Amino acid sequence: MGVHRHVNLASYALGNVLKYRVRSTAVIVALILSTTLLCSVQFIHDGVVQDVTCSMEEGPDIILQQLVGGRQVPLPVSWCDNISRTRGVRMATPRVWGYIDVGSGYLFTVMGINASDYGSAFGAVGTDIIGDGRFLSSNDTRKIVIGQGIVDMMAASAASVQIHVGSKLSLIAYDDQLVEFEVVGVFSSKSKIFSYDLIITDMDSARRLLGVENGTCTDIAVWIEPGRDLNSVAFRLDNAMPEARVLTRDALRDIALQTYGGRAGIIDLLWVVLVMTVVLLAFTVSSAGSDEARREVGLLKALGFDTVDVLEIRMFESTVLSLLGASLGVSTAIVYDFVLGAPLLAGYLLGWNLVLLNGGIPLLITLSALFMVYAVAIVPVLVATVVPAWKNAIAEPDIVLRGV
Amino acid sequence: MGSPREVHALRGVSLTVEEGIVTAIAGPSGSGKTTLLSIMGLLTVPSKGRVYLKDQEMSGFSEIYRTRLRREEIGFVFQSQYLLPHLTAVENVALPHLATDISISEVEHIARDRLIMLGMEHRLDFKVAELSGGEQQRVSIARAMMNDPTILIADEPSSSMRS
């Protein structure tokens, strides 16, 4: 079969798409609406999953907290000794953390750490210092390391505050007193949650800011020895310290995803409804019930078109409609998410957590998501148009033409 | 004998059409003329009996082969014309050749020639709905002649034309 034949059939199919404007427009609009919603949700979901995954990779293997009456309370730093002696534990270090207001309406997370311990944890958030800065050292006081995202955000703010190594930054403590810190380093992180939110300082400074008593900490971060089974170590810790809540990295990831992605399921349901609508729409406006379309197939067969030719025409028609509708839907979703910041949708999906995302909603476009979108847009429409056309194409032309 | 709804459109028909001869089939309405022509044009398969084209018996051949014969050897003018309303006169006439390996520009050139032969030079790019009954019939005839058929079958070709 030569090239001209395929070009002729494609030209005829394209002509059908252009001539049946109302039908084509209806299918395209329905596809745009459904794929825009699907992509918008998917980009946010994938972005959140990636961000959470990155934040977990830069965090400890296990976290220990103390719960009293179901509420998290400070726990004794002395627990670290017990934890460090547990088989499989490489390092256990206390952390003091909480939220502070820098006076510009932004809430940041301050985390106080033991610099010598924490600095030895390979890949831990905050240790990847950019440029000429450095990480905290064990004798640092009132020194901080901040995320690159915070630097960018401050520079982009209305006051245009330029922060660099050596800058002085005053933070508002729990008692409304200002405490001045010096920036000694800026760190990079793959996670927006960290980069735009995290300020790391020494333990004593964090206690001063957050009003945490000496000898206590917010939680204990644990790194296990290489090659150890994470769940086994967690189990041992849980047995050894029944008063503690032991959270592994996987559990933390699930909690974080539930926090940020809890409402995505409702949107998925809506998407299913919309796809069904698209399929029904494609079916009703396609060859299925239309006498005119059925006679067209009968005529083409009578004039010498093979069944394969007829199917090629219908496939081309539906593929053009689907590709156009899906592409416009993807483009609209990109503008809606990346340019406009997904108004209404982000708030619905992320809830109050949106307030805590200083750097805006994390977004990600993956090939698998695009493939899924195009597959869902193309396949149902293809089936809805090609199957009826095939039924008519295999019947005798005379019967089809007469509409018997 | 058959079921109450079964219709014997043709019974005991035997017809030979010689090459180069124009054969007219006349009969009252409902006598089976269109059915006979459909069988001769390989648009439908008879319940019983045989069809020969150039001494070749057609009943044993596949639908794919019969489709090829319709495309290459047979031109059919339908009683109801069956023109596609969303296409122009030229586009309707060009239809049979779209399923061949001839370029679309050449196909349209041939189609225009056929229509001009039938006096349609001023109506080439008009949509079917904008043509009179007689003009539509001429489009239908031009379409049937596109593939230079070995056999041209016309079912009431002049019903819409002035006498």
Side-chain angles (χ1 to χ4, degrees):
Chain A
M1 194 181 287
V3 172
H4 286 305
R5 185 172 186 155
H6 292 299
V7 170
N8 295 346
L9 296 178
S11 175
Y12 178 76
L14 201 57
N16 274 352
V17 170
L18 294 172
K19 284 177 174 94
Y20 290 115
R21 283 197 181 89
V22 174
R23 177 190 83 174
S24 301
T25 303
V27 174
I28 290 172
V29 167
L31 277 170
I32 289 174
L33 289 174
S34 60
T35 53
T36 297
L37 181 61
L38 170 65
C39 286
S40 297
V41 172
Q42 197 66 47
F43 295 161
I44 294 173
H45 176 263
D46 289 346
V48 165
V49 168
Q50 187 197 46
D51 211 274
V52 166
T53 302
C54 289
S55 70
M56 292 298 112
E57 288 170 1
E58 293 177 348
D61 296 321
I62 297 171
I63 286 176
L64 271 88
Q65 299 170 337
Q66 185 175 23
L67 299 180
V68 173
R71 291 183 300 110
Q72 189 181 350
V73 297
L75 51 92
V77 174
S78 59
W79 279 18
C80 289
D81 296 329
N82 231 4
I83 294 167
S84 299
R85 284 196 290 269
T86 304
R87 187 159 51 92
V89 172
R90 177 167 66 86
M91 178 181 67
T93 182
R95 303 188 307 179
V96 172
W97 57 265
Y99 301 108
I100 52 115
D101 186 346
V102 296
S104 57
Y106 291 111
L107 278 178
F108 292 118
T109 302
V110 165
M111 185 168 74
I113 48 97
N114 182 318
S116 53
D117 284 346
Y118 192 89
S120 68
F122 179 75
V125 63
T127 57
D128 185 11
I129 300 297
I130 305 169
D132 57 358
R134 61 173 178 84
F135 191 64
L136 300 171
S137 56
S138 54
N139 55 359
D140 276 335
T141 304
R142 302 293 189 267
K143 302 278 195 279
I144 54 174
V145 170
I146 62 174
Q148 176 66 53
I150 296 176
V151 174
D152 296 339
M153 203 163 56
M154 291 297 201
S157 68
S160 189
V161 178
Q162 301 297 328
I163 301 177
H164 47 79
V165 173
S167 295
K168 304 284 190 217
L169 200 61
S170 293
L171 304 179
I172 303 174
Y174 74 101
D175 55 3
D176 292 330
Q177 300 297 309
L178 281 177
V179 182
E180 189 179 81
F181 288 80
E182 180 189 350
V183 178
V184 297
V186 176
F187 70 84
S188 77
S189 171
K190 290 179 194 168
S191 168
K192 265 187 162 184
I193 295 169
F194 286 150
S195 180
Y196 282 81
D197 183 59
L198 189 58
I199 297 173
I200 302 177
T201 186
D202 61 283
M203 295 273 290
D204 289 335
S205 299
R207 287 197 179 99
R208 171 67 187 91
L209 273 176
L210 302 169
V212 176
E213 289 177 12
N214 286 338
T216 62
C217 59
T218 311
D219 60 25
I220 294 174
V222 176
W223 278 265
I224 66 173
E225 291 170 351
R228 292 286 183 178
D229 177 56
L230 179 63
N231 290 326
S232 299
V233 176
F235 184 71
R236 282 190 216 112
L237 286 171
D238 198 41
N239 279 341
M241 317 194 65
E243 66 273 42
R245 179 165 78 163
V246 179
L247 296 169
T248 63
R249 183 178 286 182
D250 292 336
L252 288 166
R253 182 176 181 273
D254 290 344
I255 291 169
L257 287 177
Q258 278 179 15
T259 303
Y260 287 104
R263 292 181 184 168
I266 296 176
I267 301 293
D268 288 342
L269 182 62
L270 184 61
W271 171 74
V272 168
V273 171
L274 282 173
V275 167
M276 287 171 61
T277 304
V278 168
V279 170
L280 284 171
L281 181 68
F283 190 76
T284 51
V285 299
S286 74
S287 313
S290 163
D291 285 342
E292 185 185 343
R294 195 174 64 248
R295 269 200 295 277
E296 180 189 356
V297 171
L299 176 65
L300 293 177
K301 287 300 303 280
L303 294 177
F305 282 62
D306 289 320
T307 298
V308 169
D309 298 331
V310 173
L311 295 183
E312 188 173 330
I313 290 169
R314 285 292 184 255
M315 280 175 66
F316 195 83
E317 283 176 22
S318 58
T319 302
V320 165
L321 289 175
S322 302
L323 276 178
L324 189 59
S327 298
L328 288 173
V330 170
S331 304
T332 306
I334 288 173
V335 170
Y336 179 71
D337 277 5
F338 287 82
V339 175
L340 301 177
L344 298 180
L345 185 63
Y348 177 76
L349 287 176
L350 303 174
W352 275 107
N353 297 299
L354 183 61
V355 175
L356 301 176
L357 291 173
N358 291 326
I361 47 172
L363 296 166
L364 180 68
I365 300 176
T366 61
L367 280 177
S368 59
L370 289 178
F371 176 79
M372 185 186 75
V373 165
Y374 277 102
V376 167
I378 292 174
V379 171
V381 177
L382 205 64
V383 170
T385 51
V386 168
V387 170
W390 172 77
K391 281 186 174 174
N392 290 327
I394 60 172
E396 285 186 2
D398 187 49
I399 292 173
V400 178
L401 280 169
R402 292 194 197 198
V404 176
Chain B
M1 286 296 214
S3 64
R5 285 243 178 226
E6 205 172 76
V7 175
H8 290 279
L10 294 172
R11 194 197 306 262
V13 173
S14 182
L15 171 69
T16 302
V17 177
E18 299 290 342
E19 189 177 349
I21 303 293
V22 175
T23 304
I25 300 171
S29 172
S31 60
K33 301 185 296 298
T34 298
T35 304
L36 175 61
L37 293 177
S38 294
I39 291 171
M40 292 169 63
L42 305 182
L43 292 175
T44 192
V45 176
S47 309
K48 284 182 189 174
R50 295 193 180 91
V51 178
Y52 291 85
L53 179 63
K54 291 182 176 177
D55 297 324
Q56 252 188 334
E57 207 261 299
M58 293 288 110
S59 59
F61 288 114
S62 65
E63 170 58 23
I64 293 174
Y65 184 68
R66 286 189 284 122
T67 301
R68 185 163 75 94
L69 287 177
R70 289 199 298 271
R71 183 170 62 241
E72 295 174 0
E73 305 279 357
I74 300 172
F76 207 107
V77 180
F78 298 94
Q79 183 178 17
S80 304
Q81 288 128 39
Y82 294 134
L83 298 175
L84 295 179
H86 62 280
L87 301 181
T88 63
V90 167
E91 288 168 344
N92 267 285
V93 172
L95 263 183
H97 267 350
L98 290 184
T100 64
D101 202 30
I102 304 171
S103 71
I104 202 161
S105 55
E106 200 179 329
V107 168
E108 287 196 353
H109 181 75
I110 299 171
R112 286 176 186 274
D113 278 347
R114 293 287 183 268
L115 284 168
I116 290 170
M117 272 171 53
L118 293 173
M120 291 282 290
E121 58 271 11
H122 298 299
R123 308 290 269 172
L124 297 176
D125 296 310
F126 281 68
K127 291 252 178 11
V128 166
E130 297 167 326
L131 303 175
S132 68
E135 288 169 336
Q136 288 181 14
Q137 203 136 41
R138 276 184 275 173
V139 171
S140 183
I141 293 169
R143 184 179 65 190
M145 291 164 49
M146 268 297 279
N147 56 351
D148 291 324
T150 303
I151 174 168
L152 179 65
I153 300 171
D155 192 352
E156 302 202 28
S158 57
S159 57
S160 298
M161 292 185 186
R162 288 174 292 185
S163 57

